[in-house]
């Protein structure tokens, strides 16, 4: 599942990955998946995935604080910067409205690199990149370099659209909290489920490929409003354990 690509950004012992409705960072890249699959008409109310993505993007813009800036990138066969970093809400809304679906695949790596380049130019140095990616998840796995760039950011989000009748589930948020004692940290994961019926799932945690733990959780069905059902799971991490943590959902 492509959602796991974002969740695998637990690389830096889990920077948090926020859900829709959490505050947007002061400088954030908004990436709209504009590939052919986004023209599929299976989103809420019979709209296309891209139409739903536009609505979600407008909601993100409306949630911006007065000092926050956003750039809007259309991700298709070739990424297009629809609007550079701006606090002008009217310009940002217009950029989202101008974005169009293309009869192509999507080069999501290139879209994220474009955002990184724009942010680095603005900051004057290599910058951490909070990304809000709105997509149906139907794109190839991101390269490790791109995953690392996103993982270094203090906040990123994956907003899933479409597949209203699917049984898709994925890890959409991760946070590793400061140790309650000198011996242990706690990794919190949020798992969202878009299926119409409850199901069980297993989450396996590894560190540098070595097995650490495996837990089973019960995932509720999505709500009538279309919001996913969700469950949380925690893993204790020894404070002296270093390396790449990877959470996998089965």
């Amino acid at each position: 599942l492509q959602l796991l690509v974002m969740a695998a950004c637990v690389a830096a012992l889990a920077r948090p990955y926020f859900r829709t409705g959490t505050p947007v960072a002061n400088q954030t890249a908004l990436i709209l998946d504009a590939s052919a699959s986004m023209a599929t008409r299976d989103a809420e109310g019979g709209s296309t995935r891209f139409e739903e993505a536009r609505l979600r993007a407008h909601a993100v813009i409306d949630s911006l604080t007065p000092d926050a800036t956003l750039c809007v990138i259309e991700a298709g066969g070739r990424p297009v910067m629809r609007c550079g970093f701006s606090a002008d809400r009217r310009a940002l809304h217009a950029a989202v409205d101008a974005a169009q679906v293309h009869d192509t695949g999507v080069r999501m790596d290139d879209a994220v690199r474009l955002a990184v380049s724009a942010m680095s130019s603005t900051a004057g140095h290599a910058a951490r990149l909070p990304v809000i990616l709105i997509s149906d998840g139907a794109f190839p796995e991101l390269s490790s370099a791109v995953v690392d760039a996103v993982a270094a950011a203090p906040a990123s989000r994956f907003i899933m659209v479409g597949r209203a009748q699917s049984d898709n589930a994925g890890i959409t948020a991760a946070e590793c909290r400061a140790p309650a004692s000198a011996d242990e940290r706690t990794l919190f994961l949020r798992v969202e489920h878009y299926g119409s019926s409850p199901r069980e799932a297993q989450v396996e945690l590894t560190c540098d490929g070595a097995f650490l733990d495996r837990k089973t959780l019960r995932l509720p069905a999505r709500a009538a409003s279309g919001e996913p059902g969700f469950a949380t799971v925690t893993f204790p991490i020894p404070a002296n354990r270093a390396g790449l943590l990877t959470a996998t959902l089965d």
Side-chain angles (χ1 to χ4, degrees):
L1 294 173
Q2 190 60 42
L3 286 172
L4 297 182
V5 173
M6 301 301 268
C9 296
V10 176
L13 273 181
R15 307 277 181 183
Y17 284 80
F18 297 102
R19 301 181 68 246
T20 306
T22 57
V24 179
N26 281 350
Q27 192 174 43
T28 303
L30 175 65
I31 300 178
L32 278 172
D33 185 344
S35 60
S37 66
M38 293 291 285
T40 303
R41 194 170 293 278
D42 66 352
E44 292 300 318
S47 61
T48 68
R49 296 175 184 177
F50 194 73
E51 288 167 344
E52 183 182 350
R54 273 207 187 109
L55 291 176
R56 299 293 189 94
H58 286 309
V60 168
I61 294 167
D62 288 338
S63 74
L64 293 175
T65 59
D67 59 342
T69 62
L70 197 73
C71 75
V72 178
I73 295 174
E74 176 189 298
R78 179 178 63 86
V80 176
M81 181 72 74
R82 286 291 182 179
C83 183
F85 286 103
S86 174
D88 184 337
R89 307 301 186 261
R90 183 176 298 179
L92 292 169
H93 282 301
V96 169
D97 287 336
Q100 299 292 328
V101 173
H102 299 274
D103 190 20
T104 63
V106 60
R107 301 182 66 171
M108 199 59 73
D109 264 21
D110 290 349
V112 176
R113 289 192 183 100
L114 176 60
V116 171
S117 175
M119 181 166 282
S120 297
S121 298
T122 303
H125 55 82
R128 293 177 175 180
L129 179 67
V131 168
I132 298 175
L133 172 57
I134 307 179
S135 171
D136 59 3
F139 55 85
E141 185 169 322
L142 299 174
S143 68
S144 59
V146 166
V147 169
D148 288 346
V150 176
S156 288
R157 297 191 231 163
F158 183 97
I159 300 177
M160 183 80 173
V161 296
R163 298 185 182 181
Q165 304 303 318
S166 75
D167 197 38
N168 193 39
I171 301 170
T172 57
E175 182 179 0
C176 196
R177 296 186 181 173
S181 69
D183 301 322
E184 192 175 273
R185 290 165 289 184
T186 302
L187 175 64
F188 293 80
L189 300 176
R190 179 188 178 98
V191 180
E192 295 188 350
H193 176 224
Y194 288 82
S196 58
S197 301
R199 56 167 286 198
E200 284 192 348
Q202 291 189 322
V203 180
E204 182 174 292
L205 187 68
T206 62
C207 183
D208 288 337
F211 175 83
L212 288 182
D213 201 356
R214 186 180 184 90
K215 294 190 176 183
T216 300
L217 64 162
R218 181 75 172 172
L219 298 174
R222 69 176 185 275
S225 64
E227 286 295 306
F230 73 92
T232 58
V233 61
T234 61
F235 291 92
I237 309 295
N240 61 356
R241 190 69 184 247
L244 172 67
L245 289 176
T246 303
T248 305
L249 180 68
D250 291 336

